[in-house]
Each structure stands twice: as C-alpha cells, then as structure tokens.
Amino acid sequence: MKQFFLTVLGVFTGLVLFLVVVPIVLISAAAASSSKPATPANAVLELDLREGLTDQAPTDPFAIFGGSGLSTMKIVDTLAQAEKDDHIKVLLVRLPEGGVTPAAADEVRQAIRRFRTAGKPVIAHSQGFSPVGTVISSYMVGAAASELWMQNTASFQVSGLASEEMFLGRAFDKYGVRADFEQRYEYKNAVNQFTQSNFTEPHREAMTAWMTSIYDAALASIANDRKTAVPALQTTIEAGPYTAQQALSLKLIDKIGQAEEAEAEAKRRAGNNADILEFDDYASSQGERTGSGSDAIAIVGGEGAIVTGRGGSSGFGGGSSIHSDVTAKAIYDAIEDKDVKAIVFRVSSPGGSPEASEQILAAVRAARKAGKPVVVSMGDYAASGGYWISSQADWIVAQPTTITGSIGVFGGKFVIADALARFGVDVRGISVGGQYADAYSSSEPFTAAQRAAFSASMDKTYEEFVTRVSTGRRLPVARVREIARGRVWTGAQAKTLGLVDQLGGVTEAISKARELARIPTDRSVRYKRFPEAESPWEALSSAFGVSSEAAHALVAIGGVMADPQAQALLQRVDAERMRSSGAVVLADQPLP
C-alpha cells in the first residue's frame, strides 16, 4: 500500500511537472533564446507604475507569477540604456493613483531627470491622485516629467501625508493574550502595536519627524521640477483636494486628457510611424547593463527580511528575503573575482536576524580587508538589521526618504494559554533540563529568572549593534547611543547625524565605488551582478527536489517529444524494432 501511494504521488508530481511547470519553462527558455526584437525606428517607451515596484529584480525566475516583475533597479538600468538609444524618442509614464514607496520614487525621479537631460521628452499621465499611502511621492514622479497630464474626471487629492497604526493592546487584554516582549529602547516601537492602545510619546515623536522629513523632501523636489517656490506649492497643495480643471488652473498639472490622447501626443513627438514599446519588452530585449573594460564593479543585491540559511527558490510568487549564506557568498565571490575592483551593495531591508546580519557584515569586512571598497546603496529601507549589514561599509549612499537607522532590538513571545482556555483548549507543557528550556513556551509568561536571562541577551545584542556602528561610522559610542535607542530616521536625517555619507541612488553609489577603487573616469567599467539569477532549471531543482541537470533533461525531453520530427523518428525506430522481431508493420511515412 505504501508503494502504491508513493507511485500515485510520483505520477501526480510528474503530471504537474510536465503539464504545468515544463510548458512555463519552455516558453521562458524559448523567449530567452530568441533573437532580440527590433526596436521601432521611432519608439515611445511606456513605463507603467500602476502595478507596484520591488526594489530589485528577483533571482527566482518563477517570482514573476507573484507580481508585475518591475523593480526600481530595472527602471534605473533600462532608462540608462534608453537615454542613449537613438530609437527611443519619448518616455511615457503611467502613474499610480495611490502612493509609491518614497525612496523608490526618488530613484525613479532621478532616472527620469537623467533621461530628460539627454534631450528626450517625458510625458506622465495620471488617472487621479488618491490619498492612499505616500501619494505625494507619486505626484513627485509625475512632476519630474516634461508634461504632466490628468484624466478629465480624475481628482487631485494630494494634500499631505498620513499614516495609521493598528494597536492591539486592549484587544489582547480582553481576550487573554499576553505580549511578553523586551525592546531596546523606547523608540523601538515595533512591539507597541501588541502592547499599547495608542502612540507612546517617543513613537509619536519619531513618526512625526520622519514623515515630516519625507514630506519636506518631496515638496522640495516637486517645487524644483515645477519651477515654483516651496512655500507657495505647500500652501496650494494643502488647500486641496481639487478637480482636474482646478489642478490645471493652479498649475499643478500641465494638460487634461485621456491616456490615449497622451499616447497620441507622445507618438507625435517621437516622429513618423512611431510606435508604443512596453517597458518590460524593451528591458528584456536590452538585458542588464554589462558595461565594458577590464575593470569591473560588483553589484550585490539584497532585498527583504534578513534570515539565516540558503533559502533557495521561493516558489511561485514567493516573497523576497536576504538569506545570509547566499548574500555572504555573493560578497565572497566578488572578493575572489580578480576583475572586481569595488563592490556596490544594494540594501533594501527592514531588518531581521542579528546572527544573519552579522554573517553578512563579516563578509563586508572581509571585502574591505581584501582591498575592495564597499559602497552601500540604500533602497526603500535599510533599518535595524538592514543598517547592521551596512554600518561598516566604506561609504553609505541613501535617498533622502530612505527609512534607515532603527539601531535597536526587540524580542519576546505571545502567551496564549488564557485565550485558548476560553474555548476549552488547555495548553500544558513538560520540560527537562535547565530552567530556560521552556522560556519560549506559549502557555506561561517568562519567569523572573527567564526574563533576566532574556533581558541580558537583548542588552548584549544592542551593545554589539552600537559597537559595530561606532566602529564603522567612526562615532563615539556615547554619540551612537544618543541617536540609536531604536529610532527610525530618513536618509536626509541620517546624513546630518553621520549615519549616511551621501544622498542619492545607485548611480551615485557606482560613481563613488569607481572613485574609491581609483578607476579613472575616462575608463570604461563592467558590471558583474552577484548572486547570479537562478535559472529555470535550478528553480525546478529547488521546487521538486531534483538536480538541475535532471530538470533540464526532463524539460528537454518534453520539448523533444513535442517536436513532429522527433515523433516521426521515434515511430521509425519503433517500426524497425517491430520488424526485427518479425512483426508486420505498415509502410513508413516520410519524415516531415
């Protein structure tokens, strides 16, 4: 019976592999191996931001099934190529109705400005700005265009920046859940949602400060691009919301029209027989920038929560994580590559495991010891563990609106025995060994001895964090303690505090890496990316537990079996086999 079920499971897995996964991989492989499609002589490159952004392109080839596949880094990379492409005449940007992550908006805006500096117009179209998320950042991207269009029925509802927190403290008290946490220190407010019913004063102070910083930075960028004064712009925006007609009369936008009309105008500007070229299609045809020359700069990527281990394929549409083994190995690979003269470490992470963070930081230290400068380019977030892994780089570049800092630690557990008891569920535990063996039990709060030990571990981790920042940033320990305490800062705030060296994006980080590596500005450089993107065969290996060679063979067999010539040849072989055993076989059919 066991063998029967194993056989059934094997057949089912095979069906999934050949009927679902294999066709997908075959299509992907065919697309990758096909020749690059010709770009129209006069092309309008259309960038649609309405489906959201990640910071970096995923290394898992199946991650495209979980979203649009568009990343901030891809936009920067592709626009850098498009600005030098004589076929690309105009950029058309479709703006989201809600917010864009502030640091991503900064990076995209800068890429748009560079595209315009190359002498190419940019038309942005909005179907409305709604007060959802950081919508001021979406408007900032639109304001960077040569012309900002809005649909006639749309509303301009950019009037500030707001955020809400959900506090569960009273609900936990009511239903018998105890959040047994420690935090270092009062600004490390991630646990407040479980323990409080309102903002604490430090929580409110920190949030108000970084939100104000983001708002001020966005206003400054918009005012610069719209050629107006910040106070006048702020007064106008905060008096809203407005209709499209009102926004036009107040010079918040440039034209009113449908998306199709904006497309027609973009094509008119592009020239005769101009055509719309989708951003993903163009990006795929161009590939990543590789540069040229004997000297190389390594670009190491890391996005998501920082965790220990190797990870592997995240599955179909899985989220991103920074796995310490993978990221550390990527840095060590860059160290061992003789062509690599410097490393740009792109970090976009809200934090994670201290142990995983330290493993990655050790690799950063090893790179510096090997004489290869490390420049960190901060993305949307580089906070807590994200700052830990950045703290000892040679140079740190962040966007004015990057969320960073949060030099602190928290930890604990939820005690849910009383809550479950209300439903007749009793939780009982047994432990052997030391008194700390059941410290993380969900049935009992920490004992006094357990809390003392756990609190000591929190203190140790916090002091280690402070020490690493002090060493990396060359700041006195006492000064780091002042600006730490778990407080979140924006990139602009962090620069004034000495936690960040320069404001900008990955382009500025690459320039600084060249400088630190003493690569002359007139010499070309290559870009080498670590870790390398996972191939479809490797993804199948992770997903189905077979070797990448076996996965490749299975897919190849599937492709061959679907080929008419192969099928005819197999029929010929089968016929000869039957003849050799004395069978009578119908006349052979000619091979197609």
Side-chain angles (χ1 to χ4, degrees):
M1 182 61 72
K2 179 180 178 182
Q3 186 61 43
F4 170 76
F5 282 117
L6 289 174
T7 302
V8 171
L9 179 61
V11 171
F12 177 76
T13 303
L15 286 172
V16 171
L17 182 63
F18 278 99
L19 297 180
V20 179
V21 179
V22 168
I24 292 171
V25 177
L26 285 172
I27 292 170
S28 301
S33 63
S34 62
S35 59
K36 294 182 179 181
T39 302
N42 294 322
V44 175
L45 184 60
E46 183 173 32
L47 172 61
D48 194 336
L49 299 175
R50 293 174 296 175
E51 294 184 17
L53 290 174
T54 58
D55 183 72
Q56 300 161 36
T59 56
D60 174 8
F62 295 137
I64 58 171
F65 300 105
S68 68
L70 188 61
S71 69
T72 303
M73 292 288 279
K74 179 191 280 189
I75 291 173
V76 172
D77 204 54
T78 304
L79 287 184
Q81 296 177 80
E83 69 186 51
K84 299 174 183 177
D85 188 337
D86 291 338
H87 297 297
I88 304 298
K89 307 294 186 183
V90 180
L91 176 66
L92 175 64
V93 182
R94 301 294 302 278
L95 298 169
E97 293 177 61
V100 175
T101 307
D106 275 330
E107 196 97 43
V108 173
R109 170 187 174 267
Q110 291 156 9
I112 288 174
R113 294 293 306 179
R114 288 190 292 270
F115 186 89
R116 287 186 60 187
T117 301
K120 300 184 178 185
V122 179
I123 294 176
H125 186 274
S126 170
Q127 291 180 288
F129 294 106
S130 300
V132 178
T134 50
V135 69
I136 187 74
S137 297
S138 297
Y139 178 51
M140 181 185 71
V141 172
S146 314
E147 286 184 4
L148 175 54
W149 291 49
M150 181 178 279
Q151 188 169 307
N152 60 323
T153 56
S155 296
F156 186 96
Q157 300 182 60
V158 182
S159 57
L161 185 60
S163 178
E164 279 188 332
E165 295 282 335
M166 183 178 292
F167 295 97
L168 302 174
R170 287 196 306 118
F172 279 7
D173 289 341
K174 180 177 180 180
Y175 294 105
V177 177
R178 176 170 175 171
D180 214 2
F181 282 85
E182 293 274 338
Q183 62 196 95
R184 299 292 183 274
Y185 279 100
E186 70 273 20
Y187 292 102
K188 195 71 175 179
N189 49 48
V191 303
N192 289 3
Q193 61 180 311
F194 308 123
T195 61
Q196 306 294 323
S197 60
N198 201 347
F199 292 103
T200 62
E201 283 307 310
H203 192 173
R204 185 182 299 277
E205 174 194 347
M207 280 197 67
T208 301
W210 67 253
M211 288 174 65
T212 301
S213 179
I214 288 173
Y215 185 50
D216 289 346
L219 287 174
S221 295
I222 295 165
N224 179 73
D225 292 340
R226 300 292 298 174
K227 296 179 173 56
T228 186
V230 171
L233 174 68
Q234 183 172 353
T235 298
T236 301
I237 282 179
E238 293 179 1
Y242 302 110
T243 65
Q245 287 288 350
Q246 290 171 324
L248 179 64
S249 66
L250 292 168
K251 299 183 179 180
L252 294 171
I253 63 173
D254 298 299
K255 288 190 178 181
I256 294 175
Q258 300 296 324
E260 292 76 12
E261 293 176 284
E263 287 182 354
E265 174 61 16
K267 290 166 72 174
R268 185 190 69 78
R269 292 195 183 196
N272 294 333
N273 302 315
D275 202 359
I276 300 289
L277 184 59
E278 291 188 8
F279 197 86
D280 278 343
D281 291 341
Y282 180 72
S284 297
S285 71
Q286 298 302 302
E288 293 179 321
R289 277 187 298 173
T290 56
S292 61
S294 57
D295 296 331
I297 291 177
I299 299 177
V300 177
E303 179 175 10
I306 304 170
V307 296
T308 57
R310 293 190 178 93
S313 177
S314 59
F316 300 99
S320 297
S321 296
I322 299 176
H323 290 90
S324 58
D325 281 15
V326 174
T327 304
K329 182 180 184 300
I331 296 173
Y332 285 119
D333 286 346
I335 294 172
E336 294 173 4
D337 190 320
K338 293 181 180 180
D339 294 336
V340 170
K341 307 305 180 186
I343 298 170
V344 171
F345 186 15
R346 177 71 174 191
V347 177
S348 188
S349 171
S353 161
E355 290 73 28
S357 300
E358 179 63 15
Q359 181 182 357
I360 295 169
L361 182 61
V364 171
R365 288 194 292 260
R368 295 185 63 184
K369 187 176 180 180
K372 299 194 175 184
V374 179
V375 176
V376 164
S377 170
M378 292 182 170
D380 298 331
Y381 311 94
S384 196
Y387 193 80
W388 186 308
I389 65 178
S390 306
S391 61
Q392 295 186 357
D394 293 274
W395 195 259
I396 297 177
V397 180
Q399 292 292 356
T401 55
T402 294
I403 297 299
T404 188
S406 194
I407 303 167
V409 62
F410 74 92
K413 65 179 182 177
F414 294 105
V415 181
I416 59 174
D418 288 347
L420 293 176
R422 301 182 185 198
F423 300 95
V425 178
D426 297 312
V427 181
R428 302 289 185 265
I430 297 175
S431 67
V432 295
Q435 62 179 356
Y436 203 72
D438 64 346
Y440 290 97
S441 166
S442 63
S443 61
E444 297 290 340
F446 290 120
T447 65
Q450 288 170 345
R451 180 169 292 282
F454 182 72
S455 181
S457 72
M458 292 288 101
D459 290 336
K460 177 177 177 294
T461 301
Y462 181 72
E463 289 303 317
E464 288 173 342
F465 200 167
V466 167
T467 300
R468 278 147 184 76
V469 175
S470 173
T471 301
R473 303 306 302 164
R474 296 182 177 85
L475 292 171
V477 169
R479 175 56 177 157
V480 177
R481 287 201 180 101
E482 287 178 19
I483 59 181
R485 308 190 71 82
R487 181 159 179 171
V488 168
W489 305 98
T490 63
Q493 294 170 323
K495 185 175 183 300
T496 64
L497 297 170
L499 296 176
V500 164
D501 297 297
Q502 180 182 354
L503 298 181
V506 69
T507 301
E508 288 72 22
I510 290 172
S511 295
K512 187 64 182 182
R514 287 181 60 119
E515 176 189 330
L516 294 177
R518 295 187 172 88
I519 300 174
T521 55
D522 60 349
R523 184 186 301 173
S524 298
V525 296
R526 285 182 292 135
Y527 304 113
K528 304 185 87 172
R529 291 168 175 81
F530 302 85
E532 294 182 1
E534 197 174 30
S535 73
W537 329 115
E538 291 166 335
L540 282 175
S541 171
S542 300
F544 291 94
V546 297
S547 69
S548 61
E549 291 80 5
H552 197 300
L554 285 171
V555 174
I557 290 169
V560 168
M561 291 300 293
D563 184 79
Q565 292 189 6
Q567 291 175 354
L569 183 59
L570 288 173
Q571 290 172 2
R572 179 76 58 82
V573 171
D574 193 43
E576 293 301 326
R577 179 187 60 79
M578 294 174 69
R579 282 198 183 97
S580 66
S581 61
V584 177
V585 182
L586 294 176
D588 298 329
Q589 299 298 312
L591 291 175

